[in-house]
Amino acid sequence: SWRGAVPARHAFSADGRWHFESTYDGACLLRNLTTGRELTPLISMRHAMSAGFSPDGKLLAVASDRPCTWVFEAESFQEIATLRGYLQGVSSAAFSPDGKRLATASEGREAIKLWDAESHQDLLTLGGQGARFQSSPISPDGNIIGSMNVKHVLHLWRAPSWEEIAKAEAKENTKL
């Protein structure tokens, strides 16, 4: 057991090895639960909103109420990327089950941004209605992203199947 800060935001890696904690006053800590070793970031994380680990526990994404998300290597707590391009702050970050994508939640027209977890490229922006999307979990099969706004309206986005894509492409080709 360790004494933690209250109130704080917490995230655990799927393998149970890592615990991330951030307080409302900006203190952040990454703890290796196997060894007890504690790491602090080299950058100011005063505005950390939430965090999510990649499925293998190697990466930690931290959403900020500023218009960015930080990605860290968990083992060293070294920043490896800052994801920018938002108009508003970011309220959550979640990796896909295969670890290849990162979904971050923000506001309205930028309800969800989907990123490539390796290249850190912005792949897709999904619009929604309302403000401050609270979380952005991805379904176990990786095909659905869900997020609820502060007015408790749940939005779901589903990836089209290969069959649906082929039909749409065929329809588009007949128009040409």
Side-chain angles (χ1 to χ4, degrees):
S1 295
W2 290 272
R3 179 169 294 284
V6 177
R9 298 169 181 99
H10 301 273
F12 290 92
S13 62
D15 62 5
R17 183 174 176 203
W18 297 103
H19 169 253
F20 173 79
E21 176 181 305
S22 67
T23 64
Y24 295 112
D25 68 357
C28 293
L29 179 71
L30 181 63
R31 181 178 289 119
N32 183 317
L33 297 175
T34 306
T35 65
R37 184 177 70 149
E38 296 179 350
L39 302 164
T40 56
L42 297 177
I43 64 168
S44 171
M45 295 178 64
R46 192 163 192 80
H47 303 281
M49 294 295 292
S50 74
F53 285 92
S54 61
D56 62 9
K58 292 182 179 178
L59 299 176
L60 169 67
V62 180
S64 166
D65 68 355
R66 301 295 187 205
C68 71
T69 298
W70 299 291
V71 181
F72 296 91
E73 180 182 62
E75 191 66 43
S76 64
F77 210 3
Q78 295 292 312
E79 180 184 2
I80 58 173
T82 301
L83 309 179
R84 300 184 190 282
Y86 304 92
L87 297 173
Q88 304 290 321
V90 183
S91 55
S92 74
F95 285 90
S96 62
D98 64 6
K100 294 181 179 182
R101 304 286 182 255
L102 174 64
T104 55
S106 186
E107 308 267 344
R109 290 182 299 174
E110 296 179 318
I112 300 289
K113 278 190 178 278
L114 198 60
W115 304 84
D116 182 282
E118 187 175 329
S119 70
H120 311 113
Q121 292 295 310
D122 181 352
L123 301 174
L124 178 68
T125 300
L126 301 167
Q129 294 181 353
R132 188 64 72 181
F133 284 79
Q134 299 297 318
S135 64
S136 52
I138 300 173
S139 65
D141 65 4
N143 290 327
I144 299 172
I145 298 173
S147 192
M148 187 174 295
N149 66 24
V150 292
K151 295 203 178 211
H152 307 288
V153 176
L154 177 64
H155 289 66
L156 297 174
W157 295 270
R158 183 183 63 83
S161 68
W162 289 113
E163 183 180 299
E164 290 169 320
I165 292 170
K167 277 184 182 178
E169 287 175 344
K171 186 177 180 179
E172 195 62 34
N173 287 337
T174 60
K175 289 181 181 179
L176 299 174

